[in-house]
Amino acid sequence: MKRLLLLLALAPLHAQAAADPCAGAPSLPEPWTSWTQSGTVTAGATASTAPRMILGKPVVAELRPGPQVQFIVPPGKSLPKSHAGLFTLAVKDAARIGIALSEGAWVDAATGTTALTSVAHEHGPACSGIRKILWFDLSPGLHTIQIASALKPSIRIMAADARANQPR
């Protein structure tokens, strides 16, 4: 009898599902509140085929095999057998713009053929699905956003103004 009780005591209780650490996660903060919305696009292989990003409007982009993309500036990182793509972004007023990605990839921004230096890099809010955010100070005009060295063929991408919906 003691043996039976010992075996029962050592037997695992029925498996309980692990609690979802993201259950009940708070809403995303500005400027990322629309992150979970999306359209779909195919990333450009050239500047002339690059789709236009709209501030605050995320998209799920189908990327291209890296060798098919004609980058405006040499990417800061290039992995073999990875995916890439080009996008354009028009900015009306000078602003700090964040480029958020759902997956690991390299992000470059360029104005014309001049590479821009990011001013900050961070991870997205916990449980948001935002893997990384790079911030660039962009002048008014048209800019190119380059994605390189993505291991997956699709990526959610969003551009947002740091001042979005903030009191001025």
Side-chain angles (χ1 to χ4, degrees), residues 17-105:
D20 179 359
C22 293
S27 299
L28 290 172
E30 291 294 349
W32 310 111
T33 55
S34 62
W35 173 253
T36 58
Q37 302 170 9
S38 63
T40 57
V41 298
T42 299
T46 64
S48 63
T49 63
R52 177 78 47 100
M53 296 177 71
I54 299 170
L55 288 172
K57 303 290 182 190
V59 295
V60 175
E62 289 302 316
L63 301 173
R64 298 170 180 275
Q68 291 181 5
V69 178
Q70 297 175 19
F71 294 104
I72 304 305
V73 295
K77 184 176 184 181
S78 182
L79 294 176
K81 297 185 180 181
S82 62
H83 304 276
L86 303 176
F87 304 86
T88 61
L89 177 65
V91 177
K92 183 178 177 183
D93 299 312
R96 180 157 291 179
I97 303 296
I99 306 297
L101 300 177
S102 62
E103 307 294 334

Side-chain angles (χ1 to χ4, degrees), residues 146-161:
Q146 301 183 158
I147 305 299
S149 298
L151 297 179
K152 295 184 178 179
S154 67
I155 197 166
R156 181 181 298 269
I157 182 171
M158 179 177 167
D161 186 329

Side-chain angles (χ1 to χ4, degrees), residues 84-133:
L86 303 176
F87 304 86
T88 61
L89 177 65
V91 177
K92 183 178 177 183
D93 299 312
R96 180 157 291 179
I97 303 296
I99 306 297
L101 300 177
S102 62
E103 307 294 334
W106 190 265
V107 179
D108 291 297
T111 302
T113 57
T114 302
L116 304 175
T117 302
S118 63
V119 295
H121 173 270
E122 62 190 7
H123 297 285
C127 300
S128 67
I130 299 174
R131 169 100 180 244
K132 70 190 280 184
I133 304 168

